[in-house]
Amino acid sequence: MDPKTRRNFLKVSGAATAVGLAGCLQEGGSGALQTQYMKAPGYEDFFSKHTEKFKEETGIKVEYEFLGWSDARQEMSNNISAQDGPDVQEIASTWMPAQVEAGGWADLDSEEASQHLPDKSNYPEGALDVATFDGQYTGVPWFWGPRAWQEVGTMMDDAGVEGSPEDWDDLVSQGNAYKEATGNSDYFGVMSGGIEPGRNFAMFLWQNGGSLLNEDNTEPAFNSQAGVDAMNFYKDLIIEHEIIPEASLEWEQAGVQGAFAGNQIASTWGALGTTNAYTDEDGNSREDLRVSAPPTGPNGDQGTFFGMELLGITAWSDKVEEAAQWIDYLAQPEVNAELADIVGFLPPTEGGMNTDLYSDPFYDIFADEVFPAAKTYPQVLGWSEIETVIYETATEILNSAVTGDWSEGDTQAALDDAASVAQDALDN
Amino acid sequence: MTARNPLPEEWTLTEDRADFLFDLLSRGVLGLYLTFALFPIYWMLMMSLRTRAEIAESDPDFFVLSTDELRRVVLEGDLDLLAAEVEYENYLDMWDQIPLLDFYINSLIIAGVTTVLALVIAIMGGYAFSRHDFPGKRYIGGGLLATQMIPGVLILFPMFLLFIWIQTETPFKMRDTYHGIIFVYTTFTVPVAIWMLRGFFDSIPASMEEAARVDGCTRFQALYRVVIPMAAPGIAATGMFVFLIAFNEVLFASVLATGEVMPFAIGIRRFETQATTYWGEMMAASSLATIPILLLFVLFQQPIVEGLTEGGVKQ
Amino acid sequence: MAGSRSVLTRRLEGITDRLPGVREHVPSIGHRLPFYRRLTAGQQFAYKLMAPALAMMFVVHLVPIVWGVTISFMGLENEFISRWYDAPFVGLENFQDTLGSSTPVGEDFRNSLQKTVLFASGTLVVTYVLGLGAALVLNQKFKGRFIARTLLLLPWVAPAVVSLYIWRMMFQAQSGLINNVLLDLGLIGETIYWLRGEHTMVALILAHSWTQFPLVMIFLYAGLQSIPQQLYEAAAIDGAGRWGKFRYVTMPQLKPVSAVIVLLMFLWTMINFTAPYIVLGPAPPDEAYVAILFIENYAFQYNAFGRGAAMSVVLFVLAMALALLYYRFLFDDETTGTGA
């Protein structure tokens, strides 16, 4: 080919390649603050409204995106590997330790961040315990929900039972009385499908004075006698006392809320979402419900599980100050309360609880009686493996009991096995 | 049978009778095969037209209407019942639940471009293998076969790290882009495509190209003007093969193509939520994706199947 | 070339004439290599044709494999995922942990390897039997034969992701069709938990085989079609009946094709991720927890990529070893070699 045509050809192909490659280039960054949250209904309206307001107040543009729970963990992990992704993100408390170790979250005690973030004294200790891992203050508590004892007052009254049992003995005797009066074994229905048996086991364990791990989180402690008794009590409620229906073994959140709202069970443990599910159902009203703290066990005090979501700034973000300002905005009592209400949880601050949305005395019970008893999983590395083995073990024990395969000593053995796996996870 | 034996004492298997029985058996077996092959597709369509409650029923009907309803529709002309029972809402709702349109488009782009690129590269490679003997051919050929044994998980994380490295060192974004995943898929399908196309090229006598070269074509022109048209069925078959592989891939897509370029294969998982699985909508979305592909295949199956059957015996 | 030369053809010609490198007498980069200069023009052409494919394979196959093997010797765990190069070298520790029988991951992994071989073998048998049967039926001459052939190919054409979900839906314990039909027909007494219990592997093999058997069918069909008629006639003369013809003509003639498709099916199933992922869902039961799914879940859930890489290497080696064994077995036989 002669030089001239070759030159022409190269010019043309060069231009074409350049245009093509340009499409492959990275965006320079739109300059807006990138934020991500777990998907929930009602978020779209909330965020479009508030990012608008925030922009008016501060001039900072905020973009938001929602992740499904099934994709979220992998996505966040990939972001951490790549050190690239949004600036502000919702933190799931149980994933936090691993993500902090991998270098995913920024230290909120840093100068840039702390000058804009809300004061830590706004938040109760329990919440801050969850928000701090390995000495690093990682997330600002966003909303939380402890599980209360909830019952349908009318169903209890009809059966001539007092309701709101104070301790385990009370629970059993009331349950039996209910069974006699109504002939049904649905006095109490706690969800036992999916990963829930682990949470229920934790609750019974705490009520019985036990704990999941030892003081400094280096050894498992759930296979103690308190733990064995707690697990056995749980299983006996289903098979011996028959005051929990067997169907509950398949229930997860949707199942138990459906059953409770449909009056198929008289009581349950649940957070605010359960209350809302009940009141949403036609023919029910919140007046029917009575709420109290869960019963205490023979050896301990009250104990109930709470879940919490936090907001954090990602380690790679170069807009730390703007991010902190946005989080501060979301933490304002009115805004915080609005969001908590949408998602069916409670704001973690007194200010939030004092807003109009939560002025109903119904919420006071949650604040005054249930919160003091609320505990959650320890924030420690390797917890996800331990959580998995605990709920798998609990499920196995329940299943074997229901199929009639359980015998004395099985619970201790199973819990000991789980403890060795847990020890393994803690050591690594 | 003769008059002496009005009834034979034993029924003998004459050749005619054997043939008849065998034919009967063949047809029966064929019927079973067809049912086996086609029933799931039929079922997908049926389920796409049902409500959540109907799907959860323990005793589903084989057709959208139960026998009673069928009787009323056909015999009594109760068309309202037909309209009521055929739950086409799934086809409307499914677009809102997940960004289904985006998923479809992404899959088309990814699989389509991969097919074109892979064919171009593999035609060149397959031709080289078919017509030329070059040093290292055996090793390269072995290498091609070895790629079929690589578990995706082995190269998945390094590939991810490679993407990140490219992203940080060069101005090219790789993660969650079309070109990133297309590059990966093209490379995955090229070895198989080369292997298949080599077989097809082998069946075309080299004399045609030689004649073309005598006429003044360059090697390259000989390739694309003579060989490619003759190998068109084989190329079509290979193309479909590549398209299907790219369309169905989930492992690499789940890590490298999340976000905006998420394809249908990954996106459809979203119908499985924590609470429940939306089978109805999922089947509707699946039907919409599958039926066109099946129809296209049925219409254009001639060259493709020809290609498959020809290439099958070539080693 | 004879034939009309339209404007388009001439234009295309013009373009290809200018493509650098594919004209033999234009000196190209390769000419700097002494090795390259010594090749014939044809061979140089071949290399140029192979170049893009080889380059891509280098980047996507070779580099990641070497990288992956390297990682398998490193303790690449959660804290290093954003800086893999800082992870310490741990020698064979990852291999010991994942293959040993004293660690939970080791037990699980070995179980998964067993299940993988089981899955691959099972699929192989089922698809071969189904494929062979279908090919034999299609080999007969009857009306509508080509339509049947097309229809029987549909399971393979339908996107696997979709098909596997359909099977998953049908295997549901309560609402699934399969249990309902089996119960109605009285073939089983109580519901079988297809996707959770001891029959999970059966469900997985069946669903996967449904998508794959047409491919086997079409390969074998092509093989059948190419068997010369004289062989059958010769057999008939020798007194062979239907079964005899099948045994002494058909099967031996199919051996080369069978050999290839059997190997391919086995290898592809051993590393198939899509089928178990979709059929088994997010919580696969031990009975069908095949290696590739296990490795992916384990590595990405715990960010344990060092161990994940080690396990992948083991799986790879296992696949290669089985393939080599297979070749050895094949060459010991009288049959013609397949010769890649």
Side-chain angles (χ1 to χ4, degrees), chain B residues 145 148-149 195, chain C residues 120 124 128 216 255-270 319-328 330-331 338-340:
Chain B
L145 183 58
Q148 295 304 296
M149 291 188 276
W195 185 78
Chain C
L124 181 63
Y128 190 78
V216 179
K255 261 206 174 133
V257 185
S258 300
V260 175
I261 196 66
V262 157
L263 176 66
L264 279 181
M265 232 28 249
F266 188 78
L267 286 179
W268 281 341
T269 311
M270 272 196 80
M320 281 209 293
L322 290 172
L324 273 171
L325 262 175
Y326 179 81
Y327 262 4
R328 190 70 62 78
L330 214 53
F331 279 108
T338 52

Side-chain angles (χ1 to χ4, degrees), chain A residues 66-338:
Chain A
F66 302 121
L67 292 176
W69 274 96
S70 54
D71 303 324
R73 191 170 183 197
Q74 180 70 69
E75 180 80 17
M76 289 166 85
S77 190
N78 288 347
N79 288 343
I80 297 176
S81 282
Q83 289 290 298
D84 169 51
D87 300 294
V88 172
Q89 210 165 8
E90 184 177 334
I91 312 181
S93 55
T94 39
W95 301 342
M96 202 173 88
Q99 289 175 343
V100 170
E101 191 201 33
W105 298 109
D107 187 356
L108 296 181
D109 278 332
S110 73
E111 252 204 67
E112 296 174 289
S114 56
Q115 60 175 221
H116 297 285
L117 288 177
D119 212 29
K120 281 199 217 177
S121 59
N122 287 338
Y123 299 102
E125 270 236 30
L128 288 177
D129 277 345
V130 176
T132 312
F133 172 71
D134 206 19
Q136 175 179 315
Y137 176 42
T138 308
V140 174
W142 201 18
F143 55 81
W144 66 350
R147 296 187 182 185
W149 170 279
Q150 305 193 30
E151 63 190 16
V152 185
T154 43
M155 284 177 80
M156 291 295 183
D157 293 339
D158 285 343
V161 163
E162 203 185 300
S164 300
E166 291 212 359
D167 55 36
W168 286 5
D169 293 331
D170 209 2
L171 177 68
V172 176
S173 62
Q174 280 195 25
N176 284 332
Y178 181 94
K179 203 169 52 171
E180 273 192 43
T182 62
N184 291 333
S185 60
D186 52 6
Y187 168 70
F188 179 48
V190 64
M191 52 179 161
S192 302
I195 63 173
E196 297 301 328
R199 298 195 173 149
N200 296 327
F201 168 64
M203 287 172 72
F204 284 115
L205 175 69
W206 291 325
Q207 289 162 12
N208 204 22
S211 64
L212 289 166
L213 299 179
N214 69 349
E215 272 288 331
D216 47 6
N217 288 344
T218 52
E219 284 176 11
F222 56 82
N223 56 334
S224 57
Q225 188 60 46
V228 177
D229 290 340
M231 189 66 226
N232 283 341
F233 182 68
Y234 181 12
K235 132 187 107 60
D236 285 338
L237 285 175
I238 306 180
I239 58 163
E240 199 174 303
H241 307 294
E242 286 178 351
I243 49 184
I244 296 183
E246 274 183 30
S248 65
L249 285 175
E250 306 251 285
W251 292 341
E252 299 189 50
Q253 196 186 57
V256 75
Q257 286 181 353
F260 190 59
N263 287 336
Q264 286 168 22
I265 43 174
S267 65
T268 187
W269 282 341
L272 211 52
T274 306
T275 315
N276 290 340
Y278 184 84
T279 48
D280 280 345
E281 187 80 12
D282 285 334
N284 292 340
S285 96
R286 207 171 61 198
E287 312 297 305
D288 306 335
L289 291 181
R290 294 202 288 249
V291 172
S292 57
T296 63
N299 295 325
D301 46 349
Q302 302 167 322
T304 187
F305 182 82
F306 76 80
M308 188 165 99
E309 295 292 300
L310 313 98
L311 287 171
I313 304 179
T314 52
W316 52 82
S317 171
D318 50 6
K319 299 195 175 70
V320 176
E321 283 199 36
E322 292 92 326
Q325 288 177 297
W326 170 242
I327 296 180
D328 186 52
Y329 173 84
L330 287 177
Q332 290 171 42
E334 292 288 340
V335 182
N336 195 191
E338 192 185 328

Side-chain angles (χ1 to χ4, degrees), chain A residues 5-15, chain C residues 20:
Chain A
T5 39
R6 185 182 221 159
R7 240 180 280 138
N8 281 339
F9 174 76
L10 285 174
K11 253 192 266 173
V12 169
S13 58

Side-chain angles (χ1 to χ4, degrees), chain B residues 18-19 22 26-27 29-30 33-34 36-41 43-44 47 55-60 62 121 124-125 127-129 132-136 140 143-159 161-162 183-184 186-188 190-192 194-195 198 212-213 215 217-221 223-226 240-241 244 247-251 254-255 264-265 268-269 272 279 282-283 286 290 293-294 297-298 301-302 305 308-309 312-313 315, chain C residues 1-2 5 9 12-13 16-17 19 22-24 35 39 41-43 45-47 49-50 52-54 56-57 59-61 64-65 67-69 71 76 84 129-130 133-134 137 140 142 148-162 165-170 172 174-175 177 180-181 184 206 210 213 215 218-219 221-223 226 242 256-257 260 264 267-268 271 273-274 277 282 292 295-296 300 305 309 312-313 315-316 319-320 323 327 338-340:
Chain B
D19 281 346
F22 189 76
S26 293
R27 277 164 218 275
V29 169
L30 183 65
Y33 267 110
L34 284 172
F36 177 63
L38 299 176
F39 184 75
I41 300 172
W43 194 238
M44 167 183 74
M47 288 301 236
I55 291 176
E57 242 179 76
S58 321
D59 207 358
F62 276 101
I121 297 177
M124 300 193 332
Y127 186 71
F129 259 87
H132 298 278
D133 208 13
F134 46 89
I140 296 180
L144 288 183
L145 183 58
T147 61
Q148 295 304 296
M149 291 188 276
I150 303 176
V153 282
L154 180 58
I155 54 182
L156 179 57
F157 193 60
M159 201 67 228
L161 290 177
L162 186 63
F183 180 67
V184 172
T186 307
T187 319
F188 280 169
V190 155
V192 182
I194 287 182
W195 185 78
R198 184 247 178 113
R213 294 204 58 212
D215 278 355
C217 292
T218 66
R219 285 186 207 274
F220 197 73
Q221 288 172 325
L223 167 62
Y224 90 81
R225 278 212 234 143
V226 178
M240 192 185 71
F241 211 81
L244 287 178
F247 194 85
N248 285 320
E249 211 279 333
V250 288
L251 178 58
S254 68
V255 173
F264 174 78
I268 196 181
R269 280 190 304 147
E272 259 189 283
W279 290 116
M282 185 197 278
M283 289 299 123
S286 303
T290 310
I293 295 180
L294 294 181
F297 178 70
V298 169
Q301 50 94 9
Q302 178 68 343
V305 178
L308 283 172
T309 51
V313 254
Q315 313 300 328
Chain C
M1 274 178 64
R5 294 161 64 86
T9 317
L12 283 173
E13 249 173 86
T16 55
D17 280 350
L19 279 176
V22 283
R23 288 179 60 90
E24 304 88 58
F35 154 79
L39 300 173
Q43 289 175 327
F45 182 56
Y47 274 121
L49 288 182
M50 289 292 301
L54 290 177
M56 293 176 87
M57 282 169 60
V59 174
V60 174
H61 287 127
I65 289 183
W67 203 335
V69 172
I71 290 180
L76 186 54
W84 69 274
V129 168
L130 286 177
V137 168
Q140 313 295 318
F142 56 88
R149 193 181 63 185
T150 310
L151 290 177
L152 286 181
L153 278 172
L154 289 186
W156 178 69
V157 176
V161 175
V162 164
Y165 265 121
I166 300 176
W167 278 98
R168 175 143 173 220
M169 187 175 66
M170 295 200 290
Q172 292 290 301
Q174 296 302 334
S175 58
L177 185 68
N180 287 306
V181 168
D184 280 348
L206 191 56
W210 185 84
F213 88 87
L215 189 62
I218 207 73
F219 262 71
Y221 172 76
S226 68
R242 222 174 267 275
V257 185
V260 175
L264 279 181
L267 286 179
W268 281 341
I271 61 176
F273 179 80
T274 307
Y277 181 67
I292 197 164
I295 296 173
E296 206 259 359
F300 279 93
F305 292 108
S312 312
V313 169
L315 181 62
F316 186 27
M320 281 209 293
Y327 262 4
T338 52

